[in-house]
């Protein structure tokens, strides 16, 4: 029941059986009691995983695997038990999908380390979730636990077939774990803890890094150290049947005023990490203005949110009042502010200018008197509303008014 409550809170669509969380919640005895019996007796076998696709920032498609609600509940049971055993053994530099760890903590640690060291290795693993070797993954799980039911069910989830859009089944090829499964994040953390975290602690104990799932940033003092370490990491990943994305993995110079500039032309002076771009920026510290190396919302994140706003088609919702639109956008705006305003809040002005322009377009469509006038007339009317009702929208409350 605890596992089902966590699955229900996360939401998500139905799997291959088309049974939703609402249906399971409406008749828990019918759906959850047989699941408990099968899990307790060892006769539980997962259903196929439904494949769906989401768009990436580069225009490509990312495959997601959606297990059935019952399978997600079963995975949550094992994931909770497994997490209680392994989390205390994980590295302090690992932040992804862990209790009491967050993306903000990873970004903050990365910011501090960029102040201390001049060079960064930005690693990108090619198709990580699609290329995890099952044999090595189960070996990593056995390193942490010998409980038979955990090993049995992890192996069955890895071997579950994938149902494609044409309803045909694609069977596993000894590698890959579906993104979208509840058990996948903890298995990925266990795998990379042994493949990377423990290897770094043993071979390079003085080199700081941050890892959020498969996003890894490593800090070095010099370019030669970074090049040698990158080659060693390539060999390590090759031994573990993983491959670095050569196009996205790069060595970045953290340019700042107080640092001596390298005697050669640097190719990369910025990198993205968890939706933030780290690059040289003008900062003010101790009453003085200088060049620093700080994070702020990335252009990719702004482009993604702008696309989401365009898909909402707010300017066509003329049958709603402005206060109603504020209620509809409340959770989204608050989520963007809570996450991206943590670092260099002023950089969000570009994003919320887009929101205000969409609202001005709504004003122009809503009121006939603005339709034949210049768009700025509608924008001026929106400015008057913002002055009279500054708490109508979440971003207006914190100063991002039209």
């Amino acid at each position: 029941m605890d596992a089902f409550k966590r699955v229900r809170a996360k939401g998500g669509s139905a799997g291959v059986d088309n049974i939703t969380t609402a249906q399971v919640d409406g008749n828990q005895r019918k759906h959850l009691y047989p699941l408990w019996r099968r899990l307790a007796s060892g006769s539980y076998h997962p259903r196929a995983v439904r494949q769906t696709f989401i768009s990436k920032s580069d225009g490509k498609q990312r495959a997601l695997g959606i297990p059935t609600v019952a399978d997600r509940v079963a995975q949550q049971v094992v994931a909770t038990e497994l997490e209680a055993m392994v989390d205390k053994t994980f590295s302090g530099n690992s932040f992804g999908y862990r209790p009491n760890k967050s993306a903000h903590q990873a970004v903050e640690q990365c910011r501090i380390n960029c102040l201390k060291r001049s060079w960064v290795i930005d690693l990108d693993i090619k198709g990580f979730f699609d290329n995890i070797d099952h044999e090595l993954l189960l070996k990593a799980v056995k390193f942490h636990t010998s409980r038979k039911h955990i090993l049995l069910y992890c192996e069955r989830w890895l071997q579950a077939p994938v149902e494609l859009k044409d309803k045909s089944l694609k069977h596993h090829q000894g590698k890959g774990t579906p993104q979208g499964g509840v058990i996948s994040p903890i298995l990925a953390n266990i795998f990379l803890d042994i493949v990377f975290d423990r290897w770094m602690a043993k071979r390079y104990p003085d080199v700081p890094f941050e890892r959020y799932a498969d996003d890894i940033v490593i800090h070095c003092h010099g370019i030669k150290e970074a090049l040698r370490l990158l080659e060693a990491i390539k060999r390590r990943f090759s031994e573990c049947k993983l491959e670095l994305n050569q196009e996205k993995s790069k060595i970045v110079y953290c340019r700042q005023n107080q640092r001596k500039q390298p005697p050669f032309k640097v190719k990369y002076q910025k990198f993205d990490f968890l939706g933030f771009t780290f690059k040289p920026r003008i900062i003010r510290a101790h009453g003085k203005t200088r060049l620093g190396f700080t994070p702020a919302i990335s252009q990719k994140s702004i482009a993604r949110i702008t696309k989401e706003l365009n898909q909402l088609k707010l300017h066509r919702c003329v049958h709603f009042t402005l206060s109603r639109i504020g209620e509809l956008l409340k959770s989204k705006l608050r989520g963007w502010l809570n996450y991206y305003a943590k670092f260099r809040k002023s950089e969000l002005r570009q994003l919320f200018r887009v929101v205000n322009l969409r609202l001005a377009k709504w004003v122009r469509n809503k009121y006939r008197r603005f339709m034949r006038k210049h768009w700025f007339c509608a924008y001026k009317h929106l400015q008057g509303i913002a002055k009279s009702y500054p708490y109508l929208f979440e971003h207006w409350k914190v100063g991002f008014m039209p």
Side-chain angles (χ1 to χ4, degrees):
M1 280 304 302
D2 290 339
F4 172 68
K5 288 175 184 177
R6 295 180 66 175
V7 170
R8 183 179 58 189
K10 292 178 182 177
S13 56
V16 295
D17 58 0
N18 295 320
I19 297 176
T20 63
T21 51
Q23 289 174 288
V24 175
D25 197 19
N27 196 341
Q28 296 176 0
R29 183 174 181 83
K30 176 183 175 182
H31 296 284
L32 298 182
Y33 181 71
L35 176 64
W36 172 77
R37 289 291 299 271
R38 290 196 296 270
L39 281 170
S41 64
S43 60
Y44 163 76
H45 287 270
R47 299 282 299 271
V49 176
R50 181 173 64 85
Q51 189 181 65
T52 186
F53 292 91
I54 59 172
S55 299
K56 296 171 65 175
S57 57
D58 56 3
K60 297 180 180 178
Q61 296 282 320
R62 171 178 292 166
L64 291 182
I66 310 297
T68 64
V69 175
D71 288 340
R72 295 207 294 271
V73 173
Q75 290 182 14
Q76 185 65 66
V77 171
V78 174
T80 303
E81 183 181 0
L82 191 56
E83 185 179 70
M85 292 186 291
V86 303
D87 187 73
K88 56 181 177 288
T89 68
F90 285 163
S91 167
N93 298 316
S94 172
F95 296 90
Y97 308 111
R98 295 183 59 191
N100 304 317
K101 294 280 188 177
S102 69
H104 285 157
Q105 291 176 338
V107 175
E108 175 62 16
Q109 182 173 304
C110 185
R111 185 190 69 82
I112 293 171
N113 285 330
C114 285
L115 295 174
K116 298 177 181 178
R117 304 205 173 201
S118 303
W119 296 88
V120 155
I121 304 175
D122 181 20
L123 290 182
D124 185 270
I125 304 174
K126 189 174 183 180
F128 172 68
F129 284 92
D130 296 330
N131 293 314
I132 297 181
D133 185 76
H134 289 178
E135 184 179 350
L136 292 177
L137 178 55
L138 290 172
K139 188 176 179 181
V141 177
K142 288 178 183 176
F143 175 81
H144 287 283
T145 181
S146 58
R147 297 185 183 180
K148 292 182 179 180
H149 66 282
I150 293 179
L151 300 174
L152 174 67
Y153 293 140
C154 284
E155 184 175 2
R156 288 180 182 176
W157 285 318
L158 291 174
Q159 293 176 353
V162 176
E163 184 183 86
L164 306 179
K165 281 192 173 182
D166 60 359
K167 302 299 180 181
S168 62
L169 293 181
K170 177 185 175 184
H171 294 277
H172 76 96
Q173 299 174 345
K175 63 179 183 179
T177 176
Q179 280 184 273
V182 177
I183 198 71
S184 296
I186 185 68
L187 292 181
N189 268 341
I190 289 173
F191 188 71
L192 281 177
D193 176 65
I194 292 177
V195 170
F196 183 78
D197 297 357
R198 292 173 185 266
W199 178 80
M200 283 289 292
K202 182 179 180 180
R203 297 283 299 275
Y204 304 95
D206 298 327
V207 177
F209 68 91
E210 296 83 35
R211 182 177 68 80
Y212 194 95
D214 59 330
D215 291 333
I216 305 172
V217 174
I218 309 168
H219 305 267
C220 302
H221 282 299
I223 183 66
K224 292 183 179 179
E225 178 190 0
L227 288 169
R228 286 194 295 266
L229 182 54
L230 183 58
E231 288 301 316
I233 291 170
K234 286 180 182 177
R235 290 194 296 270
R236 172 62 176 174
F237 280 174
S238 179
E239 292 170 0
C240 300
K241 300 182 181 181
L242 291 176
E243 183 183 356
L244 287 182
N245 190 326
Q246 300 294 338
E247 296 178 357
K248 296 184 179 180
S249 297
K250 54 184 180 287
I251 297 176
V252 182
Y253 177 62
C254 304
R255 181 185 171 199
Q256 293 184 58
N257 263 353
Q258 65 270 33
R259 284 187 180 150
K260 184 179 178 181
Q261 302 301 308
F264 54 87
K265 186 177 180 181
V266 178
K267 186 175 181 180
Y268 299 106
Q269 293 190 32
K270 65 178 182 179
F271 67 93
D272 288 355
F273 184 53
L274 301 179
F276 294 90
T277 294
F278 286 76
K279 71 175 186 178
R281 304 176 197 271
I282 300 298
I283 62 172
R284 188 170 181 82
H286 307 294
K288 295 182 180 179
T289 302
R290 62 179 181 84
L291 187 68
F293 196 84
T294 57
I297 183 173
S298 67
Q299 286 299 319
K300 287 183 180 178
S301 299
I302 292 176
R304 176 183 57 80
I305 295 172
T306 301
K307 184 179 179 181
E308 187 175 343
L309 285 169
N310 291 339
Q311 290 173 346
L312 290 175
K313 300 187 185 300
L314 295 176
H315 61 287
R316 294 185 181 178
C317 299
V318 292
H319 53 291
F320 289 149
T321 61
L322 202 59
S323 59
R324 175 59 178 158
I325 292 178
E327 292 175 7
L328 293 174
L329 289 179
K330 185 175 182 178
S331 60
K332 288 183 179 293
L333 293 172
R334 185 175 289 177
W336 296 332
L337 281 167
N338 288 342
Y339 187 75
Y340 293 109
K342 183 74 174 178
F343 301 95
R344 207 168 175 93
K345 180 180 169 183
S346 59
E347 296 290 331
L348 290 173
R349 191 165 299 280
Q350 178 185 350
L351 169 63
F352 290 117
R353 182 176 179 272
V354 174
V355 180
N356 290 330
L357 286 174
R358 305 300 295 183
L359 294 175
K361 196 170 183 179
W362 175 89
V363 170
R364 196 177 187 189
N365 291 342
K366 176 78 171 178
Y367 303 106
R368 193 181 295 272
R369 65 181 182 273
F370 294 114
M371 294 185 71
R372 293 182 178 274
K373 295 181 180 179
H374 194 273
W375 68 268
F376 191 69
C377 296
Y379 196 78
K380 288 285 288 183
H381 181 75
L382 187 67
Q383 287 179 331
I385 295 174
K387 287 180 181 178
S388 301
Y389 304 98
Y391 296 102
L392 204 57
F393 289 90
E394 292 296 314
H395 63 295
W396 290 2
K397 295 178 184 179
V398 293
F400 294 106
M401 290 189 174

